[in-house]
Amino acid sequence: MDQIKLFMNSPLGPKTTHFWGPVANWGFVLSGIMDASKPPEKISMNMSVVLFFYSVLFMRFAWQVKPRNYLLLGCHFSNSMAQFYLFQKVMRYRMQKEQVSCPT
């Protein structure tokens, strides 16, 4: 019971934005994972790039803020990997499409 009280009242506990911000940001990760099953022509490459850099920026913030917010860091690391996967999926599709339309 004391562990629960400690967690509830900690600087990273559920009474703070250091907890709820990362929890809400997991929506980006879930969305990216769900988008992985979409066909490449339905994935926005621009959005993937923007979300990748957004997550990289917030990974740095999570590392620099005191106390370090590992929940936020993990969330944005996961999102950056999901967005990078989507980006490379679209790029591979476009490169294959270009090779088919321009045979040498």
Side-chain angles (χ1 to χ4, degrees):
M1 193 59 115
D2 287 335
Q3 295 287 14
I4 294 172
K5 276 187 179 180
L6 274 173
F7 173 68
M8 293 294 285
N9 295 316
S10 77
L12 296 175
K15 293 182 179 179
T16 68
T17 58
H18 286 283
F19 178 81
W20 291 110
V23 168
N25 276 311
W26 276 101
F28 289 127
V29 179
L30 294 175
S31 176
I33 292 169
M34 289 173 52
D35 284 352
S37 63
K38 285 184 177 180
E41 60 271 8
K42 298 285 185 184
I43 297 170
S44 170
M45 187 171 68
N46 291 340
M47 184 58 77
S48 292
V49 170
V50 167
L51 285 172
F52 173 80
F53 284 110
Y54 163 82
S55 286
V56 168
L57 178 71
F58 273 91
M59 278 193 297
R60 184 180 185 285
F61 170 79
W63 188 257
Q64 296 294 327
V65 71
K66 300 292 184 216
R68 285 197 173 135
N69 194 333
Y70 295 109
L71 184 59
L72 185 65
L73 183 69
C75 167
H76 283 292
F77 176 79
S78 300
N79 189 48
S80 67
M81 293 298 103
Q83 298 306 323
F84 184 77
Y85 172 77
L86 294 174
F87 172 76
Q88 63 88 24
K89 183 177 180 177
V90 172
M91 286 303 295
R92 276 190 289 140
Y93 170 75
R94 289 185 180 183
M95 288 171 58
Q96 287 174 349
K97 188 175 165 184
E98 189 176 292
Q99 287 175 351
V100 170
S101 65
C102 299
T104 54

